[in-house]
Each structure stands twice: as C-alpha cells, then as structure tokens.
Amino acid sequence: MELFPDLKKRYTEERFSAREAQRMAEVIAWGPIVFQASRLMVKFGILDLIRDSDNGLTKEEIVKTTGLSDSAVECLLEASLCIGTILVDTETDRFTISKIGWFLLNDPATRVNLDFNHDVNYIGMFHLEEALKEGKPVGLKHFGDWTTIYEGLSQLPEQVQKSWFAFDHFYSDSSFPEALKII
C-alpha cells in the first residue's frame, strides 16, 4: 500500500500507550451511546448553556432552563462527564464545558459530521454487516427502495436532505476552484 509519509508513520507504528489504547477501545465499545448523548447535549442546548454561562451551571439551573426532567438532565450530565465534554466543580456542583465540548459545538466539520451521521447514516449502519456480505447498501431500505441514495435524494425527509447536502457541500465545495482550473 502506498502512503504519504505522514500517513505511513500514522498507520504503520503504534500511536497509543496501553492506557490510551484501552481508553480508545472503550470509546469504540460505547460509541453509539457517546454519540447519542453528545448529540442530545447539543440538540437540547445544554452545551450551549454551559458554554455561555459565566461560572458554569448547576443541574437544577439546567433543568429549569431546558424544561427537561431532573433525571433526563442528570443522565446527560453524567454521560457527558464520562465522555469528557463537560467538567464539574465538586465544591459548587457547577458544570463547565471542556475543550472536547467546545469543539463539538464550534468546529464546523464536527457539526456537519454529527448531523450527517445521525440523520443519514445512523439507522442504516445497523445493517453494515449485511451490506458488506451482500455487496449492496442494505441499510438504505430505511429511506426507500433504491439502489443508491442518489436515486432517492429528492424523496428523502427534509432534515435528512438538509444534513446530506450540508455534508456534501462542506467536503466538496472547496474542490470547485481547483476543478475549474483543470477544466
């Protein structure tokens, strides 16, 4: 396999200590839950609230502001602590945003990828094993009876279309100036 020098180093040498590798393995094992809890912290505006607060927020303040139940907020906060998107001051019980949480909210690629994976890929990926064995996009049946998603783009639900096109434009728009030079 031919690789650029930076990729060769990255893909041919062990990059993680044993502790880091174990942590990464746990992230993989808990990936769907990490994804959904983090996505809901964004969707419900909890990460925004925490980020925008001067001294962090208590669970009670988050419950009052969001209108979510105490148990829902507690579940999301505890998951987010484990994930690393927020931090807690144990003396004041105030939650603040971490660097990971900040990037989850503010990095354009991360936001596009989060929406794309939730709206377009998430349910279909449950059928990945079947798709690989059959050599066709079996998970696509969630949206319609098409050979490829391109056939059904105009028939996808509005939010799925929005996420699809945001993803597509984010990754392809920058290539147009270079392509035009060639044309």
Side-chain angles (χ1 to χ4, degrees):
M1 175 180 275
E2 299 268 338
L3 296 172
F4 289 109
D6 286 345
L7 292 179
K8 186 172 184 177
K9 181 174 171 107
R10 184 175 182 173
Y11 295 151
T12 62
E13 298 174 15
E14 186 64 58
R15 297 180 288 160
F16 301 107
S17 68
R19 169 77 100 215
E20 292 167 333
Q22 182 183 29
R23 169 82 172 130
M24 190 61 172
E26 283 296 315
V27 167
I28 293 167
W30 288 97
I33 291 108
V34 168
F35 176 82
Q36 289 296 345
S38 299
R39 184 186 70 79
L40 291 174
M41 286 288 284
V42 172
K43 180 178 181 177
F44 295 151
I46 297 172
L47 279 182
D48 283 317
L49 290 170
I50 293 171
R51 178 199 57 202
D52 296 342
S53 66
D54 291 332
N55 300 308
L57 296 172
T58 64
K59 177 180 72 169
E60 293 75 19
E61 291 169 326
I62 296 168
V63 167
K64 184 177 179 183
T65 305
T66 63
L68 293 170
S69 71
D70 185 79
S71 62
V73 171
E74 184 173 348
C75 177
L76 289 172
L77 291 174
E78 288 179 2
S80 297
L81 286 170
C82 293
I83 295 163
T85 54
I86 62 171
L87 305 166
V88 66
D89 180 329
T90 57
E91 293 190 19
T92 64
D93 289 336
R94 298 185 86 71
F95 296 89
T96 56
I97 196 162
S98 71
K99 291 175 190 170
I100 296 170
W102 188 91
F103 279 106
L104 190 61
L105 285 177
N106 296 293
D107 179 58
T110 300
R111 291 301 295 265
V112 164
N113 292 337
L114 190 72
D115 290 344
F116 180 75
N117 281 313
H118 176 70
D119 295 329
V120 179
N121 291 334
Y122 202 81
I123 293 174
M125 288 304 287
F126 187 80
H127 301 282
L128 180 60
E129 182 177 349
E130 185 182 354
L132 294 173
K133 287 179 178 179
E134 292 185 24
K136 62 183 183 178
V138 178
L140 185 57
K141 66 185 172 192
H142 170 71
F143 293 120
D145 189 25
W146 312 299
T147 308
T148 71
I149 196 162
Y150 297 102
E151 295 171 35
L153 282 178
S154 65
Q155 300 168 54
L156 293 172
E158 184 178 343
Q159 182 58 44
V160 177
Q161 285 181 0
K162 182 180 174 188
S163 294
W164 173 272
F165 288 116
F167 178 87
D168 184 63
H169 291 294
F170 182 83
Y171 287 103
S172 65
D173 283 359
S174 61
S175 65
F176 289 124
E178 293 302 314
L180 286 174
K181 289 177 189 176
I182 296 168
I183 293 174

